[in-house]
Amino acid sequence: MDISHIEHLGIAVENLQNAIDFYENTLGIHCYATEEVKDQHVKTAFFKIGDTKIELLESTSPDGPIAKFIEKKGQGIHHIAFAVKDTNKALKIAEQRGVKLIDKKSRKGAEGLDIGFLHPKSTQGVLTELCSKK
Ligand code: ZN
């Protein structure tokens, strides 16, 4: 699959601004970007620590995946994202290895990355994202 590193951790939060304040003022890491991803019904905020990022996710809709996640499990780590060379290739390999896919083909995620999700039922309970740069 050619995983090179953890690209980011996705963290579901109830209130993006409160969460940004915590990361910036308490942990002292700088939010370098915010972005709304309309088809995912989320607002995101990004922090970089070494090669890895933190992606905070606030739902923009009560029916969105992040709202549903928080309803079930509360705020917290939502997914782990691995950087790969080619998301579509990696999705195909995962499927060949018996992994249930959420995305059969990559789609556009935040920061213009090609992303695809593996189903947590096939990944030891952790929602897993694969992502690559164009
Ligand atoms: Zn992500």
Side-chain angles (χ1 to χ4, degrees):
M1 278 201 228
D2 261 331
I3 292 173
S4 58
H5 61 282
I6 295 172
E7 214 281 336
H8 63 269
L9 289 174
I11 299 176
V13 301
E14 280 165 9
N15 182 298
L16 195 62
Q17 193 53 56
N18 289 350
I20 290 170
D21 289 346
F22 169 76
Y23 278 82
E24 289 204 316
N25 302 331
T26 307
L27 299 185
I29 47 181
H30 171 65
C31 173
Y32 70 88
T34 58
E35 183 181 343
E36 185 165 347
V37 184
K38 287 224 162 100
D39 67 331
Q40 287 296 297
H41 308 289
V42 288
K43 280 193 297 190
T44 64
F46 285 95
F47 301 80
K48 202 163 192 314
I49 304 114
D51 280 340
T52 301
K53 296 166 194 159
I54 299 280
E55 174 188 42
L56 302 179
L57 302 150
E58 181 197 296
S59 188
T60 54
S61 148
D63 306 323
I66 294 301
K68 284 185 184 154
F69 176 87
I70 289 176
E71 205 177 284
K72 263 197 230 157
K73 299 192 173 171
Q75 299 193 102
I77 294 181
H78 176 259
H79 65 273
I80 184 167
F82 294 115
V84 295
K85 269 195 193 131
D86 180 328
T87 299
N88 277 317
K89 229 186 239 173
L91 286 171
K92 212 164 269 168
I93 292 167
E95 191 172 37
Q96 283 164 3
R97 292 178 182 170
V99 174
K100 191 175 167 194
L101 305 181
I102 292 175
D103 300 302
K104 293 247 172 200
K105 286 185 94 183
S106 74
R107 54 192 162 88
K108 275 274 160 280
E111 301 199 300
L113 295 175
D114 283 332
I115 67 164
F117 281 93
L118 310 182
H119 200 286
K121 275 191 180 146
S122 296
T123 55
Q124 315 294 309
V126 178
L127 179 60
T128 301
E129 177 182 347
L130 303 173
C131 55
S132 58
K133 285 180 189 157
K134 257 274 145 125

